Amino acid sequence: MLKYSTYQSIHNKPSLAGSKFRGLQAISIRKGLTRIMTVIILLTITCTGMVSAFASSNEGNSFADLKTVVVKSGDTLWEIAVAHKPKGKDTRDYVEHIKDYNGLTVSSIQSGDVLILPPK
């Protein structure tokens, strides 16, 4: 049996090259996380600004400006269009606008229906 051995374990001693590599790896992970967080913050700010811009651009089209009509017994879409259309506008076109605005596919309406009139 051998009295002396030249075997050295690679597991007992910490390697300097490994610790340097771990340090560099930790630094690169921190840089990557910093870049990702910067991109997320910039996207959040940009999206918030865009939503605010689009939300404020519809100031003239608020629901308070819309006029509604409650259909009474015997009313027709034609009579409602004649009574509420802007001057100089064709009644047939206004009837179609009312139908489109209210999602109607036919011209029949019933008493109690609430119609939203298109803005003038």
Side-chain angles (χ1 to χ4, degrees):
M1 179 125 189
L2 292 173
K3 206 170 192 185
Y4 300 102
S5 171
T6 58
Y7 172 78
Q8 290 184 346
S9 174
I10 60 171
H11 300 287
N12 293 340
K13 296 179 184 177
S15 172
L16 292 178
S19 64
K20 286 181 183 178
F21 179 72
R22 283 188 211 109
L24 292 175
Q25 191 177 18
I27 290 172
S28 67
I29 289 174
R30 281 189 212 122
K31 283 183 180 179
L33 289 176
T34 304
R35 288 179 184 157
I36 290 172
M37 290 303 295
T38 304
V39 168
I40 289 173
I41 290 170
L42 287 175
L43 284 174
T44 303
I45 291 170
T46 304
C47 291
T48 304
M50 289 175 57
V51 168
S52 298
F54 284 122
S56 65
S57 67
N58 291 332
E59 291 175 6
N61 296 335
S62 68
F63 290 111
D65 296 340
L66 298 177
K67 187 173 179 184
T68 59
V69 174
V70 178
V71 178
K72 298 176 187 163
S73 181
D75 280 349
T76 63
L77 207 53
W78 186 268
E79 292 171 346
I80 293 171
V82 168
H84 297 284
K85 71 177 178 133
K87 287 185 179 183
K89 184 150 188 153
D90 187 23
T91 306
R92 293 172 291 195
D93 291 337
Y94 199 66
V95 167
E96 288 302 315
H97 279 71
I98 292 173
K99 285 171 51 178
D100 291 341
Y101 218 73
N102 290 282
L104 301 173
T105 55
V106 293
S107 296
S108 64
I109 53 175
Q110 298 178 2
S111 64
D113 287 346
V114 178
L115 298 175
I116 301 173
L117 299 177
K120 295 182 178 184

